[in-house]
Amino acid sequence: MSEAQETPEGQVADAVRGNWVDNLAPAPARPYLRLSRADRPIGTWLLLLPCWWGVMLAAAADPAGPNWFDLWIVLGCAIGAFLMRGAGCTWNDITDRDFDAAVARTKSRPIPSGQVTPKMAFAWLVAQSLIAFLILVTFNANAILLGLLSLLPVAVYPFAKRFTWWPQVFLGLAFNWGALLAWTAHTGSLGLPAILLYLGGIAWTLFYDTIYAHQDKEDDALIGVKSTARLFGDRTRGWLRGFLVATVVLMMAAALVALVPGGDILSLVIAIAGVWAMGWHMAWQLQRLDIDDGDRCLMLFRSNRDTGLLPALFFAVAALV
């Protein structure tokens, strides 16, 4: 097989090999789908899973249990996560186009590689956002308001690496907003369990995105981009252990606050088991981490789809019992 056959034209360096965008999507659509990271689905999962935590835990805490509208919340959040992750990544690539051109892993992205102009990318951002808004307005008024407020951390995040060593906090603020929104879409109002889930999700984001950032630490140092990977350095493992504990404690607290008042011990045990399963998976990542092995860091980062799925599945079972 020739090199041209092995590497489709325009493929982004860190895309999943053999992905559907590079192999099946119409050629004119590929640059835009690459802007949306459709060739790298892990980001959509990481944005979606806190949404599923929120709606599943809300349904488990509801004396009436889950309802048919919850199915739409689950599906609507999935579509919305794909669209808003795409819009957020497009915005990130517009603002970071000069940085991306200077980093080996990102210089093949559509804007720095010349596949898409910044104006074309902005039009694509608007189109994705408008479709996502049509989904949002099917929810209740408080959930719609929360959805609109989520645009603030999304807008700020790309600039965070320029002024703070903790840009992963801003990513966590944006990526876990769905826990607040989906809880509210079921209950009609924001509650303490959703806030605790949100904080637990931020701790989880600090865990996985610090691992991810270790891929770029050398290039980031050259161009002056800040990250927790550069900040922690050789102390990374200890910091990650702290984020693991914070994630488990906060999400256990969310389950306790949500389910103890209803007195359903079985649902509570199932929900807490899901949180512990998540903690076990994070510990598994920590055991295998080598911060100087970029391929290992990327593999572990991608494994966080399974990390976040564990509490989502257990919360769903807790709601159904």
Side-chain angles (χ1 to χ4, degrees):
M1 182 178 291
S2 70
E3 183 67 23
Q5 289 173 310
E6 292 177 0
T7 306
E9 183 180 357
Q11 184 181 70
V12 178
D14 59 352
V16 177
R17 295 298 177 260
N19 68 81
W20 71 274
V21 173
D22 292 333
N23 290 283
L24 299 175
R30 288 176 189 170
Y32 298 95
L33 292 170
R34 289 169 182 147
L35 267 178
S36 299
R37 309 288 199 274
D39 52 352
R40 284 153 287 170
I42 179 60
T44 298
W45 280 109
L46 296 175
L47 185 61
L48 170 61
L49 289 167
C51 302
W52 284 358
W53 300 345
V55 66
M56 298 303 180
L57 189 60
D62 189 339
N67 56 57
W68 288 109
F69 189 68
D70 290 335
L71 291 176
W72 168 241
I73 297 174
V74 168
L75 178 60
C77 284
I79 301 170
F82 177 82
L83 291 166
M84 287 310 297
R85 189 262 183 140
C89 289
T90 304
W91 173 241
N92 185 80
D93 283 9
I94 292 171
T95 59
D96 278 1
R97 57 189 183 273
D98 294 331
F99 285 139
D100 286 346
V103 175
R105 185 178 59 81
T106 57
K107 64 183 181 181
S108 58
R109 286 178 176 175
I111 296 178
S113 65
Q115 298 176 56
V116 175
T117 66
K119 287 184 178 180
M120 294 160 65
F122 187 77
W124 178 237
L125 182 158
V126 171
Q128 293 172 97
S129 301
L130 289 176
I131 298 171
F133 180 71
L134 294 177
I135 295 172
L136 179 65
V137 296
T138 66
F139 298 155
N140 60 60
N142 286 333
I144 294 171
L145 178 60
L146 281 170
L148 294 174
L149 288 174
S150 72
L151 296 177
L152 293 175
V154 170
V156 171
Y157 166 66
F159 302 100
K161 63 178 74 72
R162 297 171 174 142
F163 63 80
T164 178
W165 286 100
W166 294 82
Q168 280 71 23
V169 172
F170 289 85
L171 181 68
L173 291 170
F175 258 56
N176 295 280
W177 199 274
L180 306 176
L181 193 154
W183 171 280
T184 304
H186 175 95
T187 64
S189 62
L190 190 59
L192 179 58
I195 295 172
L196 291 168
L197 274 183
Y198 181 56
L199 295 174
I202 293 171
W204 177 46
T205 301
L206 280 161
F207 180 91
Y208 67 66
D209 205 59
T210 297
I211 293 174
Y212 182 80
H214 270 286
Q215 298 176 91
D216 298 332
K217 58 191 175 186
E218 294 178 0
D219 285 331
D220 287 348
L222 289 173
I223 61 178
V225 168
K226 299 178 173 66
S227 73
T228 50
R230 291 187 60 207
L231 177 65
F232 301 156
D234 293 337
R235 297 172 292 126
T236 290
R237 192 175 297 275
W239 279 96
L240 294 184
R241 192 173 292 111
F243 297 145
L244 187 164
V245 172
T247 302
V248 171
V249 169
L250 287 163
M251 292 188 64
M252 281 184 59
L256 288 167
V257 172
L259 300 175
V260 165
D264 188 342
I265 300 302
L266 179 58
S267 291
L268 178 61
V269 169
I270 292 170
I272 289 179
V275 175
W276 277 97
M278 180 182 191
W280 170 84
H281 199 281
M282 294 170 73
W284 171 86
Q285 293 180 57
L286 199 51
Q287 282 186 327
R288 285 153 182 78
L289 177 64
D290 179 353
I291 61 173
D292 296 317
D293 184 339
D295 291 338
R296 175 68 63 88
C297 289
L298 181 59
M299 181 275 290
L300 291 174
F301 167 73
R302 288 174 174 169
S303 76
N304 279 277
R305 180 202 64 176
D306 298 339
T307 312
L309 270 174
L310 287 167
L313 292 172
F314 277 79
F315 289 175
V317 173
L320 292 172
V321 298

